[in-house]
Amino acid sequence: MAEPLLSVKDLKVSFRTEDGLVRAVDGISFTVDEGEVVGIVGESGSGKSVTMMSVMRLITDPNVIYEGEIVYKGRNLMGLSQDAMREVRGEEIAMIFQDPMTSLNPVYTIGWQIEEQLNEHNDLKKGQARRRAIDLLAQVGIPRPEQRIDDHPHQFSGGMRQRVMIALALSCNPDLLIADEPTTALDVTIQAQILELIKNLKRDFGSAVVLITHDLGVVADIADRILVMYAGRIVEEGNKEQIFYDPQHPYTWGLLGSIARLDRPKRRRLTTIAGQPPSLINRPRGCSFRPRCPQAFDRCSVEDPALTAKVGDGHLDACHLSVEDKRARRDATIRPELAESA
Amino acid sequence: MAAFIIRRLLWMLVVLFAITVLVFLIFFATPGVDPARQMAGRNPSAATIRSIKHEFGLDRSLPVRYGLMMKHMFISRDLISYGSHTRVIPEVVSATPVTLSLVFGAAVIWIVFSILTGVAAAVLRGTIFDPFLMILALIGISVPVFWLGEVVNLVTQSRLHDSFLFSWVPPLGYTPLTQDPFMWFKQLFFPWLTLSVLYIGFYARVLRANLIETDSEDYIRTARAKGLSERRVLFRHTLRTSMITFVSLFGLDFAVLVGGGALLTEVVFGLPGVGLLTYNSLTSLDLPVIMTTVVYAAFFITLASALVDLVYAWLDPRVRLA
Amino acid sequence: MAVFEPEAEGIVLDAEETGGGIVGRSPWALAGRRLARNRIALAALVLFVLIVAVSFAAPLYAKHLAHTNPFESNISGTVTIDGKTRQVLEQGGGKLGLGETPIGPTWHSHYLLGADNQGRDVAARVLYGGRSSLLIGIGSALMAAFVALIFALVAGFFGGWTDAIISRLMDLIWAFPLYLLAISLATVLLTSPHGLTIGFIQVAADSLWIPLVIIGIVYVPYIYRPIRGQVLSLREKEFVEAAIAQGASNLRLIFTEVLPNVASTVIVLMPLMIATTILTESALSYLSIGVQAPKASWGTIIQDGQELLYTRPWVAIAPGIMIVLTVLALNILGDGLRDALDPRSKVRVKG
């Protein structure tokens, strides 16, 4: 097997605050292969954004503390100088953010902002950057790109702005595209369009994609592999089929239960996960999910479950329940119809 | 755009009208205040006061007096000062270059130094230099300008005047630029510094706060994600958007100073500018001069606020003029 | 359920005690804790309290240490320093050796900082001056805040025409150059020889009330603007809407929902406002249209010292240093308060 494009090894990210050390990411490891689409799913505060921001080394908070390794194409990004890191950012790894309304500089035209990115990483002649920017805008589906290139961000709708952000991110043909909740701030119909766009562009540009979301439904169609994060750790990891057909961790069940499905004939209640994520300052003993887990038993409050493969190749989960127990309880919790869903 | 200009002109007229009426009322309708008595000197007879009142039209009704004053100011432009009995408008016109010289020079100094200080403090955030610079800035805004002027005079005109450091400092006063540019510069140098201290402190603090606030904006994160250098992120993105507030503050402060707000500096350094003229006319209840300088000041301030809005719209494309 | 409701108990629990759950603390308790940790702000507070205390102890200093009445001229008096008796107003001493020069700083309890033109003890006068300056500064800031708060609440709650009229009026005062308004009012109020009579209120020409009220008036719009904005946005907040839906009266809303929320803004503004009003008072007094003789303030003393600047600079320098220290302390304190009460200064951790 070829070396993965990105490999995160035991990454820990913490912040010093006046209340104590906040462990936002607490020892996670995963890989992203070339051209692969990985979905990272979890509630807000689960550490998914912090993880990927760390990959880009974009956290400017002076109180941040990193531990672990982030190996990209054989180089440990943690050890790179700021200047070497700048070569990686935007050129090799690009990022799209959650809120397209605030992610573009309001005082410059979108053309200026795309050209700035192109000129930073390429030696372009005058006019070349502009032509390339127009091409990119056309590729992401902006109508009349020759005219719109001189518009300012506020003249675009949210969906169009996210397209501009995607054009910006793809401008240097990155090998890895990180999309941090790219559809959360958008209308439902626009969400589908943007996901479709990312899927198509991934095919055209051949980039690997890491898609961060709190909504399993978003990654259902697009992701090859899915990581479920909870309280700064990965609690379950597997390919799309494994996560959707045979979810192992009670937290994943909860996430699955809260997807609204319009394609189901039977009306059913959306289930919710009761309670709040734990404090990242003083982690409860044992399993982090225990206080909210309806399946918790004695062992959960004593021993922290490790992320291990129990059911099959590449399907890992961090839960003390036995596989049989899990399947039985799961089917009782999130109805049998799950088995049919895709 | 046209609608904006018309609206602004109308608002300017409203402000000028309201301000002149207000000043007029303050000086003529407050019980116990009598400009005629002020003009008549010590122990005037009733007859003297009456003749003065008649001469200056002070025995007419308030609205008539107001109307006459406005007519003399704007239409026949021959308003006569109660104090010096000369025409007011040339007096204001001759004071204007003094004030402009003072304020322009100070503005250049304060823009340069406040940007340097503000940017340095924001960039050096987390080091000891940031609080150090900000305490310096706070001291700058805590010093009364007239007192600072006195201390500067004490040092440059008296205590250290005979040392090589300040022996070049000429006596207090003003020499027109056209007459002797070098003398103009030498006489204005310390007034410029003194006047700019407050503004350097204030603007540096505002700019630093703005830079830090802007730095946490999503689009700055985007700029970093693009792989731009920190220098480029700072100058082309963070500073560029932070300057919007800076520029609009500057426009208004500049206008207030040109309008006569630098009067304390003018008093301390003996500069015969608009501020000094205003102050002298206020204390001698010389209402024609007061009215003229008030209109002059309000004109600059309302004009500047309209200009600031235009510049603001140019700097921030999101703003639409209405 | 006001957001900023002060919590009487203010019990702070550690995460451990609550089993790692999210701990609720009142914003006031949090702010207090942050302020207590800000050493520079605490030092500024101590300095300010010290200046206030010393200024209000002025009569004690004058009586027991300086043994002088700083409001009585003492042109022909003498003073004994280290066994030598000296004239308070010494002959000569100027550049040409003509005229009289008051005694310089003795650095003893008598005439610590020297005397002014009329042979009065400068140190004692600076303390008395501080009393006036602080009274006017604090008083006018309180007055401006009170008036602005009432206007803002009325404008914010009744909206419509009431809001339009009040806000335009404030815009007008705002457009009026502050120094012009203050100087106009001061000139007019101070030139009437026998003080001022408004209805049944009699105000003496040397009353501290005149500069206090003038300065209070001119700063109303500066506090009005931010507070009105806040009141308007509070009205749209869910908890106020909920209270309206429950049938709460306007008055009740103002006292239970809006005031507690606006309070933090006013508190942050207060030290900065007092700093500004003290500076304004000193400027007016320096132009001799603020505090009137026989009363003194830091500004009037600087003005007294102007003609002695090159011979006895301490007369002008001492009150200036007091102004700088006071205003600086207030500005630092204001900064500290803002940092402590501003929720945005909290560390944000995003998922």
Side-chain angles (χ1 to χ4, degrees):
Chain A
M1 201 179 138
E3 195 177 303
L5 180 69
L6 175 78
S7 145
V8 172
K9 294 173 186 165
D10 198 25
L11 177 71
K12 289 180 182 167
V13 187
S14 1
F15 297 88
R16 285 183 293 258
T17 70
E18 51 185 52
D19 296 312
L21 202 63
V22 174
R23 297 176 199 280
V25 176
D26 198 14
I28 68 169
S29 306
F30 64 93
T31 60
V32 179
D33 288 330
E34 267 173 46
E36 190 187 23
V37 179
V38 174
I40 302 185
V41 186
E43 288 168 296
S44 43
S46 60
K48 51 195 195 305
S49 291
V50 171
T51 305
M52 295 322 286
M53 296 274 279
S54 308
V55 170
M56 292 281 273
R57 293 248 311 265
L58 271 184
I59 300 172
T60 47
D61 192 324
N63 294 308
V64 71
I65 304 165
Y66 294 112
E67 284 167 77
E69 272 182 33
I70 294 170
V71 180
Y72 174 81
K73 287 190 177 171
R75 285 184 297 174
N76 183 5
L77 298 184
M78 284 293 175
L80 289 190
S81 70
Q82 272 300 333
D83 275 343
M85 195 59 217
R86 285 205 293 117
E87 304 283 309
V88 175
R89 272 188 219 137
E91 190 168 358
E92 306 225 25
I93 309 178
M95 195 157 177
I96 313 170
F97 299 99
Q98 173 171 349
D99 193 350
M101 306 309 252
T102 55
S103 292
L104 289 163
N105 193 326
V107 304
Y108 294 115
T109 65
I110 57 157
W112 190 95
Q113 297 187 52
I114 297 175
E115 286 164 40
E116 182 186 36
Q117 157 102 334
L118 286 166
N119 288 324
E120 184 72 28
H121 297 289
N122 305 288
D123 216 4
L124 293 176
K125 285 203 193 75
K126 228 183 156 196
Q128 261 181 325
R130 189 178 166 86
R131 273 197 300 282
R132 172 102 175 97
I134 293 174
D135 285 349
L136 280 162
L137 290 175
Q139 266 177 302
V140 295
I142 305 250
R144 296 182 293 111
E146 311 78 28
Q147 283 133 56
R148 307 252 27 206
I149 189 168
D150 293 320
D151 282 349
H152 285 92
H154 71 276
Q155 289 161 296
F156 291 83
S157 67
M160 284 294 153
R161 273 193 237 187
Q162 197 60 296
R163 287 172 191 265
V164 173
M165 277 301 291
I166 295 171
L168 194 66
L170 293 177
S171 59
C172 296
N173 287 322
D175 289 322
L176 176 61
L177 177 68
I178 301 170
D180 187 354
E181 306 251 11
T183 58
T184 307
L186 304 175
D187 290 347
V188 181
T189 47
I190 311 290
Q191 285 188 10
Q193 292 173 12
I194 295 291
L195 285 175
E196 193 62 26
L197 178 69
I198 293 177
K199 212 163 103 181
N200 292 338
L201 290 172
K202 182 217 153 267
R203 198 185 55 218
D204 299 345
F205 283 74
S207 318
V209 177
V210 173
L211 186 64
I212 302 169
T213 176
H214 62 274
D215 182 358
L216 259 178
V218 166
V219 292
D221 191 33
I222 182 172
D224 302 316
R225 224 148 36 84
I226 294 168
L227 310 175
V228 180
M229 279 189 75
Y230 184 77
R233 292 184 187 172
I234 296 173
V235 292
E236 183 161 4
E237 175 181 349
N239 62 33
K240 187 163 58 182
E241 286 71 25
Q242 289 166 334
I243 298 290
F244 278 90
Y245 292 112
D246 191 18
Q248 294 295 306
H249 198 281
Y251 179 64
T252 317
W253 312 347
L255 288 179
L256 279 168
S258 55
I259 304 175
R261 300 199 53 128
L262 302 173
D263 57 337
R264 287 267 157 270
K266 242 199 291 181
R267 297 181 76 196
R268 63 166 176 90
R269 287 190 93 103
L270 291 175
T271 53
T272 53
I273 307 171
Q276 292 283 323
S279 154
L280 297 172
I281 298 174
N282 291 81
R283 208 171 266 284
R285 239 162 85 85
C287 175
S288 299
F289 189 55
R290 190 217 7 114
R292 300 170 73 188
C293 183
Q295 321 298 339
F297 60 109
D298 299 348
R299 194 176 163 200
C300 302
S301 52
V302 187
E303 193 185 325
D304 205 354
L307 185 69
T308 50
K310 299 176 181 97
V311 278
D313 192 30
H315 191 175
L316 297 87
D317 69 280
C319 181
H320 289 310
L321 285 172
S322 71
V323 177
E324 296 72 36
D325 254 358
K326 271 189 265 194
R327 288 189 173 143
R329 292 192 191 192
R330 177 186 71 208
D331 294 347
T333 332
I334 42 171
R335 324 104 302 126
E337 60 179 295
L338 180 83
E340 313 151 23
S341 65
Chain B
M1 189 65 190
F4 171 80
I5 292 175
I6 291 168
R7 266 176 57 109
R8 274 325 183 84
L9 282 175
L10 284 178
W11 172 243
M12 207 154 152
L13 287 179
V14 171
V15 169
L16 288 180
F17 176 72
I19 285 180
T20 47
V21 169
L22 187 60
V23 172
F24 191 82
L25 287 179
I26 288 177
F27 283 92
F28 280 118
T30 313
V33 178
D34 191 348
R37 187 177 291 275
Q38 193 82 12
M39 277 182 273
R42 271 168 207 274
N43 303 320
S45 68
T48 321
I49 291 182
R50 217 176 306 120
S51 75
I52 287 176
K53 277 194 168 172
H54 186 72
E55 190 190 337
F56 289 95
L58 296 174
D59 49 358
R60 304 270 193 83
S61 72
L62 281 179
V64 173
R65 266 148 66 185
Y66 177 80
L68 276 176
M69 183 162 279
M70 290 299 116
K71 177 181 161 265
H72 284 300
M73 192 189 305
F74 290 110
I75 299 166
S76 53
R77 301 172 57 81
D78 57 354
L79 201 59
I80 301 290
S81 154
Y82 289 171
S84 60
H85 299 266
T86 51
R87 287 195 178 187
V88 176
I89 292 169
E91 231 179 308
V92 175
V93 168
S94 71
T96 309
V98 184
T99 301
L100 281 178
S101 302
L102 172 66
V103 176
F104 261 112
V108 170
I109 296 174
W110 105 53
I111 289 176
V112 171
F113 283 91
S114 62
I115 292 182
L116 285 178
T117 317
V119 170
V123 170
L124 297 171
R125 203 174 169 217
T127 70
I128 185 77
F129 294 103
D130 173 25
F132 175 73
L133 285 173
M134 282 306 105
I135 290 282
L136 271 189
L138 263 188
I139 293 175
I141 63 173
S142 303
V143 177
V145 65
F146 57 92
W147 180 75
L148 183 63
E150 289 202 344
V151 173
V152 166
N153 281 342
L154 174 65
V155 172
T156 61
Q157 300 284 342
S158 165
R159 289 299 139 105
L160 295 178
H161 184 67
D162 297 329
S163 75
F164 70 97
L165 271 176
F166 300 114
S167 53
W168 58 271
V169 182
L172 299 182
Y174 176 77
T175 310
L177 178 65
T178 46
Q179 190 184 316
D180 182 353
F182 193 52
M183 192 62 179
W184 173 84
F185 180 86
K186 285 199 292 189
Q187 278 187 319
L188 281 170
F189 184 75
F190 282 106
W192 284 338
L193 287 185
T194 307
L195 179 58
S196 60
V197 162
L198 162 72
Y199 294 95
I200 293 172
F202 182 65
Y203 280 67
R205 282 167 54 78
V206 168
L207 185 60
R208 172 187 172 274
N210 256 316
L211 285 170
I212 287 171
E213 201 185 315
T214 310
D215 196 61
S216 64
E217 292 281 354
D218 288 347
Y219 56 80
I220 298 301
R221 187 179 58 188
T222 305
R224 292 209 169 90
K226 282 157 83 172
L228 305 180
S229 64
E230 277 303 308
R231 177 193 295 261
R232 192 175 168 92
V233 172
L234 174 66
F235 287 107
R236 298 311 291 265
H237 290 270
T238 323
L239 190 58
R240 169 66 173 76
T241 34
S242 300
M243 286 310 282
I244 295 173
T245 325
F246 189 96
V247 169
S248 40
L249 279 176
F250 174 77
L252 293 179
D253 281 336
F254 186 79
V256 168
L257 289 178
V258 171
L263 74 98
L264 288 166
T265 314
E266 292 179 356
V267 169
V268 173
F269 290 104
L271 300 169
V274 182
L276 194 60
L277 184 66
T278 312
Y279 172 65
N280 288 337
S281 63
L282 281 166
T283 46
S284 58
L285 291 187
D286 192 345
L287 197 66
V289 185
I290 297 175
M291 282 301 233
T292 317
T293 50
V294 163
V295 166
Y296 163 92
F299 172 78
F300 270 107
I301 290 164
T302 43
L303 183 71
S305 79
L307 282 177
V308 161
D309 285 356
L310 278 177
V311 174
Y312 200 99
W314 177 65
L315 283 174
D316 189 344
R318 285 167 299 183
V319 174
R320 264 193 228 125
L321 298 175
Chain C
M1 48 170 281
V3 177
F4 273 112
E5 197 139 301
E7 209 174 69
E9 295 87 358
I11 301 165
V12 178
L13 295 173
D14 280 326
E16 247 167 307
E17 290 175 64
T18 54
I22 287 168
V23 184
R25 289 198 200 101
S26 94
W28 290 117
L30 269 178
R33 222 166 58 127
R34 282 206 207 96
L35 194 63
R37 218 178 283 169
N38 186 342
R39 276 201 221 130
I40 300 180
L42 281 185
L45 179 65
V46 171
L47 178 63
F48 180 67
V49 169
L50 211 67
I51 291 172
V52 172
V54 167
S55 298
F56 280 83
L60 296 176
Y61 175 85
K63 199 166 169 205
H64 298 293
L65 278 170
H67 302 288
T68 170
N69 178 354
F71 294 101
E72 213 168 63
S73 60
N74 189 16
I75 297 170
S76 49
T78 55
V79 59
T80 310
I81 306 291
D82 293 333
K84 275 187 282 182
T85 302
R86 290 165 64 184
Q87 291 279 319
V88 171
L89 286 191
E90 292 160 335
Q91 291 299 315
K95 256 192 178 163
L96 301 170
L98 295 173
E100 291 169 327
T101 309
I103 191 168
T106 61
W107 310 116
H108 286 71
S109 64
H110 297 271
Y111 291 101
L112 176 75
L113 296 173
D116 68 5
N117 257 345
Q118 300 186 43
R120 300 174 294 194
D121 184 317
V122 171
R125 281 182 70 77
V126 167
L127 294 187
Y128 269 102
R131 218 161 56 146
S132 315
S133 290
L134 289 165
L135 273 176
I136 293 173
I138 296 170
S140 55
L142 285 176
M143 182 188 131
F146 183 72
V147 175
L149 196 60
I150 288 177
F151 276 134
L153 287 174
V154 170
F157 260 85
F158 296 99
W161 278 105
T162 324
D163 180 31
I165 291 170
I166 296 179
S167 294
R168 284 298 87 71
L169 192 74
M170 292 291 159
D171 282 352
L172 265 182
I173 302 184
W174 185 284
F176 203 127
L178 187 121
Y179 66 96
L180 270 183
L181 185 60
I183 295 176
S184 304
L185 288 172
T187 315
V188 164
L189 295 183
L190 292 170
T191 42
S192 42
H194 308 296
L196 202 62
T197 316
I198 306 165
F200 53 90
I201 307 170
Q202 267 276 335
V203 184
D206 70 339
S207 166
L208 295 185
W209 281 102
I210 294 178
L212 191 153
V213 170
I214 290 169
I215 298 169
I217 290 172
V218 297
Y219 282 108
V220 168
Y222 289 75
I223 308 184
Y224 169 82
R225 278 200 175 182
I227 294 180
R228 171 179 166 273
Q230 211 189 354
V231 171
L232 279 184
S233 72
L234 276 173
R235 267 199 71 119
E236 311 296 317
K237 287 269 161 63
E238 286 84 353
F239 63 85
V240 175
E241 281 181 357
I244 294 172
Q246 285 169 7
S249 69
N250 268 344
L251 212 60
R252 196 187 142 76
L253 273 180
I254 286 175
F255 279 102
T256 60
E257 311 291 350
V258 177
L259 267 185
N261 283 285
V262 171
S264 67
T265 311
V266 179
I267 287 176
V268 168
L269 278 173
M270 268 336 265
L272 305 175
M273 213 58 231
I274 297 173
T276 313
T277 50
I278 287 180
L279 282 177
T280 309
E281 182 280 322
S282 72
L284 286 180
S285 294
Y286 172 74
L287 297 173
S288 44
I289 44 178
V291 172
Q292 297 298 305
K295 293 206 167 67
S297 84
W298 287 331
T300 64
I301 301 172
I302 294 179
Q303 213 243 344
D304 294 341
Q306 193 163 18
E307 44 192 290
L308 294 171
L309 188 61
Y310 297 152
T311 47
R312 292 288 176 246
W314 273 102
V315 184
I317 288 178
I321 290 175
M322 292 302 277
I323 296 176
V324 175
L325 287 179
T326 313
V327 174
L328 184 62
L330 285 165
N331 278 328
I332 294 175
L333 192 61
D335 267 15
L337 272 178
R338 192 199 48 216
D339 290 346
L341 278 167
D342 186 358
R344 278 182 309 176
S345 65
K346 278 186 207 160
V347 180
R348 281 189 301 180
V349 182
K350 283 195 201 159

